[in-house]
Each structure stands twice: as C-alpha cells, then as structure tokens.
Amino acid sequence: DSIVVEKEESKSRHSLACPVCYDSLTWNADPGLSVDTVPGSSFQCSTCQKTYVGNQTHLDLTATAGAKSYGEPMPASTELFRHSSSLSFTSYKMVPLISFLYERGWRQTFSAWGGFPGPEKEFEMMKGFLKPVLGGNIIDASCASGLFSRLFAKSGLFSFVVALDYSENMLRQCYEFIQKEENFPKENFILVRADISRLPFVSSSVDAVHAGAALHCWPSPSAAVAEISRVLRPGGVFVATTYILDGPFSVIPFLSTIRQTVRQVSGSYITLSERELEDLCRACGLVGFKCIRNGLFVMISATKPS
C-alpha cells in the first residue's frame, strides 16, 4: 500500500544523551547530524563533562568510550561479533569472518531453521506495526550490518534512522555497505555504538525501536526492553523478531534447566512462549502486545502508553 509520510524535523538530532548520566549531549558540528558529519565531531555532556568523539564510521556512546585500559567481557553471543577496538580503519579488510558473512549467507539460514520469512517480507510485516509512528525517528537496535537500518533509510518512511550495535565490526560493515550504495540518504542516518541495556538517548525522545533477530542475544532482555521503554515517547512503538521454542519442544523434559545452562554458557536467551514475551513487555511498561508467528519465528510489537 502506498503511504504518504510528512517528514518532521528530526527529533533524533536532538535526542543523543550521555550513557553515564542520560543528560543531553551537545556537539561542535553542524546541526545537520549525519553519517558524514559524525567523523571528527565531538559530543560533550554538560553534567559529567565527558566527551565522546566520532570516528571515521560511527559514534561510540558506550559508558566505557575513551577508556584505554579498562574493558568488560560480554557474553559469548555478543563477543562473537566483536573485535579489538584498536583495529584501524585501514586494516578494516581484516575484520572477522562473522561480520563479513552476515548478509552473505548467515542471515539466510534463519529462514531455513527458524521460519524467518526473509528481510523483505519481514520489512513489509513490521510496517503494519510501525504505521502509527511513520514520519518520526527510529532506532534499529542491534542492527548488525545494517540490513534493516538501510531499508528504513531508503524507504523514506522515517525522518531519521539510527543504526545501533555494540559491535564495532558490524558498524564498519554497515558503513561499507552504505558507501557502496548510490543515492543513499546519508543526511538522515547515523551509526552509533552503544550497549542495549544503556541506550544513549534522552527519555521519551524516540518514536520507534526495531530489533531484528536480536532479543535472544541480549545479555538481559528485561534490562534492554526497560531501556527501550524509557527512550520511547508516549505512543512510541517497539517491534522485534526472535524465535520461540514452544509446541513440540515444550514437552522436552527439563527444558527450563537446559535453557539456563545454555544461557550461562553462551549468553543466549531462549524464549519458551508468546506469553513470556508479553510478560516481558508488560513488566517493562509497554502495552498493546501483538505478535505474528511462523514456525519458531515470532514478530512482536508493543507500545509505550500515551
């Protein structure tokens, strides 16, 4: 269906916040924040006085940004996509294989074993959930190589798109993809490195958050969804895809115990039912839970109360 969208002045240009104290950041660049103006720009928090600097591909807004000696290991499912942040841009061609293969075969396997309809079909499905907030800004959380981030930007359905991931590798891969695309709307797009459980955005400043095939990889889904609820404006929409081990899997003895073991080893969170996901959203202050199923695949949506 053809949807006419009246673009608003981007709210996301004014919603970046310090991940330490959540106060707004000010920056020294042209007000037109974009993927081209981030490199070399500095962003400062007036409260804690911390400064964040944009590199050649993305803006690092993690709490430990700028730390030289201190670092924290993440769960295996997160570290799988990461590399040392000291890797220079000129040596980018040496990134780990996972990031390179994500859109070159890896993502396609989700359809084979998990029932994922495929990016184009998933994009069409989520547009129905996102219809109330079209024309606003959107965060593509845990964006990986930016598969859906780029679709959001090129669709023109949103005034501003933030491609957000914890992996420097994935963000660099996304940057390479958009550099190769002709007429990509870079002026309405930025890449941000951030922790999903500590989102660097002002409270109630974001119209929509999308998380594609990511929720099961988050170290703490409850902390992440609570953060998403915090940054969403009243009426804002959260859409996510993941997989559920229910149906015939639910009769497997000790499945809950197996899930805990898998979680401790890999950091992956296996969801056992739609009700569990609905409970998660409700506990984090989101309402109007909806879902679409296809085998193990599930797309969910919930809204910040108006």
Side-chain angles (χ1 to χ4, degrees):
D1 292 339
S2 178
I3 300 174
V4 177
V5 179
E6 292 185 8
K7 294 186 179 181
E8 303 171 352
E9 178 66 21
S10 172
K11 299 174 185 176
S12 195
R13 298 175 194 274
H14 308 287
S15 65
L16 292 179
C18 173
V20 176
C21 61
Y22 290 143
D23 279 357
S24 297
L25 293 176
T26 57
W27 61 90
N28 65 352
D30 183 276
L33 183 61
S34 71
V35 70
D36 285 333
T37 60
V38 161
S41 299
S42 63
F43 301 74
Q44 187 171 44
C45 175
S46 59
T47 301
C48 67
Q49 301 299 310
K50 185 169 181 177
T51 298
Y52 303 87
V53 179
N55 60 33
Q56 287 180 281
T57 58
H58 62 274
L59 174 61
D60 190 339
L61 291 180
T62 56
T64 56
K68 296 181 179 179
S69 302
Y70 180 79
E72 293 178 340
M74 297 292 281
S77 57
T78 302
E79 288 294 336
L80 182 65
F81 298 102
R82 292 200 60 222
H83 66 83
S84 170
S85 60
S86 63
L87 181 66
S88 69
F89 185 71
T90 55
S91 60
Y92 171 49
K93 294 300 181 182
M94 300 300 293
V95 298
L97 192 60
I98 295 295
S99 299
F100 179 80
L101 291 178
Y102 186 79
E103 291 185 41
R104 299 176 174 92
W106 181 299
R107 188 46 164 82
Q108 287 81 346
T109 64
F110 295 3
S111 299
W113 66 265
F116 279 67
E120 291 77 15
K121 177 63 175 176
E122 292 167 44
F123 185 70
E124 290 301 314
M125 292 165 61
M126 73 181 66
K127 282 199 297 187
F129 289 135
L130 294 169
K131 191 172 182 178
V133 292
L134 294 181
N137 53 36
I138 187 168
I139 297 171
D140 188 19
S142 297
C143 68
S145 57
L147 178 60
F148 287 100
S149 308
R150 305 195 311 274
L151 287 175
F152 286 132
K154 291 185 291 185
S155 72
L157 296 174
F158 294 91
S159 60
F160 201 77
V161 178
V162 178
L164 181 146
D165 204 280
Y166 189 75
S167 167
E168 305 96 319
N169 251 353
M170 287 298 193
L171 292 171
R172 289 186 174 110
Q173 183 69 77
C174 179
Y175 182 85
E176 182 177 271
F177 279 137
I178 65 176
Q179 291 298 101
K180 291 180 179 179
E181 291 198 32
E182 292 185 7
N183 303 316
F184 186 87
K186 296 180 183 179
E187 68 279 3
N188 298 319
F189 190 93
I190 59 170
L191 296 95
V192 173
R193 180 176 182 241
D195 186 339
I196 190 63
S197 63
R198 201 161 185 86
L199 293 173
F201 300 93
V202 176
S203 298
S204 302
S205 64
V206 176
D207 295 293
V209 176
H210 166 259
L215 193 151
H216 49 272
C217 294
W218 293 342
S220 172
S222 60
V225 178
E227 269 294 89
I228 289 168
S229 180
R230 178 186 67 80
V231 303
L232 282 175
R233 66 164 177 80
V237 178
F238 170 50
V239 178
T241 57
T242 184
Y243 65 92
I244 293 179
L245 292 183
D246 61 359
F249 295 96
S250 62
V251 300
I252 298 176
F254 314 115
L255 184 57
S256 294
T257 302
I258 294 173
R259 174 173 72 166
Q260 292 302 320
T261 302
V262 171
R263 176 160 169 70
Q264 290 171 0
V265 173
S266 69
S268 295
Y269 187 93
I270 301 173
T271 305
L272 301 182
S273 69
E274 294 173 21
R275 181 174 298 179
E276 191 173 24
L277 288 171
E278 183 175 6
D279 261 356
L280 171 62
C281 290
R282 184 186 300 111
C284 294
L286 300 177
V287 299
F289 180 86
K290 300 175 184 177
C291 72
I292 300 174
R293 290 293 304 273
N294 180 39
L296 303 182
F297 165 86
V298 61
M299 177 178 288
I300 66 169
S301 172
T303 303
K304 181 78 169 286
S306 298

